[in-house]
Amino acid sequence: MSETSRFVVSSEWLHAELGSPDLKILDASFYLPAQNRNADAEYAAGHIPGAIRFDHDKVADHSTGLPHMVPTPDVFADAVGLMGISENDRIVVYDGPGIFSAPRGWWLFRIMGARQVFVLDGGIDGWKAEGRRLETDIPSPTPVSFNTDFQVEKVIDFQSMLSIVSDSTRQIADARPGGRFTGTEPEPRAGMRSGHMPGAVSLPSGTFSVNGKLRPLSELRQAIEDAGIDFGQPVVTSCGSGITAAIITLALESLGHEDNALYDGSWTEWGSRQDTPVVTGPSSPNAA
């Protein structure tokens, strides 16, 4: 097995491929308020040549009241078709620090039917640190058709999550920071309980990268096994609002684990309700 994920590309590779007609580059940067960064402003100030801005909150289902929920296939196809992206393109998704919000874009394109989707190691922060070229021109792509093949089984909704927690039918991997998982630190969104779903294990998203680059496969496997996850059993990934859960998904898929799904509403949905079970403290010994 290769030591690096087949879903991650280097800045050297991307630089060499710039200008290829089937290559589409997406700036899928997203930041929490505490990060004090503005994704749209940073994109306007300078982005990787040819990159199109992909806003998680715009290409989303706006009917739920929850942030950046998975849109219907038709809504997704219309939005990315206008970006000039088809399901047959090679798609490279990047964010600011490297392995933060780009994996969500990678996951979303894949569950909608794109097959050649990659994450840029190191993000644009790494690209800039290497002194690589930026541009401020906003691309004007020619609209195309994106033909979806939606893998609905990869998306877990609230009712399904209730059943999973109640019946312990799947392992649950939570990407939030440890303090929010145990309940010792507050959630960043007001009025929301901290803690975790019964049976969940803590796998903070920062575990999987170093200096904005995805860790080698052996280290990804070790981290997941150390958390108590059995690779032979299905996994549901979760986080604060469905963004960083995709980092665990990226790690799992990189290791050949395909029986996984992402809880789209994640803790924003679960922790804000009063009818959901929430426990505090570390992962329970029999969680996995």
Side-chain angles (χ1 to χ4, degrees):
M1 179 183 284
S2 169
E3 189 56 22
T4 57
S5 170
R6 66 190 185 277
F7 299 119
V8 168
V9 297
S10 68
S11 58
E12 291 83 3
W13 180 91
L14 182 58
H15 183 264
E17 291 292 322
L18 288 178
S20 298
D22 68 329
L23 178 69
K24 303 300 164 65
I25 306 170
L26 296 176
D27 181 330
S29 300
F30 166 88
Y31 300 109
L32 298 169
Q35 291 171 285
N36 200 31
R37 295 178 67 167
N38 184 307
D40 288 336
E42 289 189 21
Y43 173 80
H47 47 265
I48 294 175
I52 297 166
R53 178 80 180 109
F54 183 88
D55 189 328
H56 293 278
D57 284 314
K58 288 182 179 176
V59 186
D61 179 359
H62 298 131
S63 70
T64 68
L66 295 167
H68 37 256
M69 295 289 281
V70 171
T72 65
D74 286 348
V75 167
F76 179 86
D78 288 347
V80 302
L82 290 173
M83 298 176 189
I85 302 169
S86 83
E87 74 280 5
N88 297 316
D89 286 326
R90 291 183 299 162
I91 303 165
V92 175
V93 189
Y94 74 83
D95 58 31
I99 307 293
F100 184 67
S101 58
R104 169 74 182 204
W106 165 87
W107 172 78
L108 185 58
F109 271 88
R110 292 184 80 232
I111 67 167
M112 288 295 179
R115 291 291 172 260
Q116 299 184 83
V117 195
F118 308 94
V119 172
L120 175 63
D121 238 2
I124 197 168
D125 291 355
W127 183 274
K128 290 176 179 177
E130 294 166 359
R132 299 191 185 276
R133 185 164 61 93
L134 299 172
E135 69 177 20
T136 55
D137 293 344
I138 306 301
S140 300
T142 301
V144 298
S145 293
F146 186 104
N147 298 301
T148 58
D149 180 15
F150 182 39
Q151 297 176 267
V152 66
E153 72 279 2
K154 289 288 191 178
V155 185
I156 300 296
D157 63 15
F158 176 71
Q159 290 300 326
S160 297
M161 200 69 225
L162 271 180
S163 298
I164 290 166
V165 169
S166 174
D167 302 334
S168 301
T169 51
R170 305 193 203 185
Q171 302 171 104
I172 306 165
D174 191 324
R176 291 175 301 146
R180 288 163 59 189
F181 179 91
T182 59
T184 57
E185 295 177 8
E187 287 293 313
R189 293 173 176 84
M192 194 176 298
R193 297 172 291 169
S194 57
H196 58 271
M197 290 173 265
V201 299
S202 179
L203 259 176
S205 59
T207 304
F208 299 99
S209 63
V210 59
N211 297 324
K213 297 185 177 182
L214 196 68
R215 289 185 180 275
L217 295 180
S218 59
E219 294 180 20
L220 298 180
R221 178 175 287 276
Q222 191 66 52
I224 293 169
E225 289 180 343
D226 286 351
I229 293 292
D230 178 354
F231 277 91
Q233 300 298 321
V235 178
V236 176
T237 62
S238 182
C239 61
S241 64
I243 294 284
T244 60
I247 298 173
I248 305 179
T249 306
L250 173 62
L252 289 168
E253 293 277 344
S254 297
L255 293 163
H257 184 289
E258 297 180 351
D259 191 1
N260 61 75
L262 187 149
Y263 173 30
D264 199 24
S266 280
W267 200 255
T268 300
E269 182 171 49
W270 192 273
S272 62
R273 298 177 65 113
Q274 299 305 311
D275 58 349
T276 49
V278 172
V279 293
T280 58
S283 305
S284 56
N286 60 351

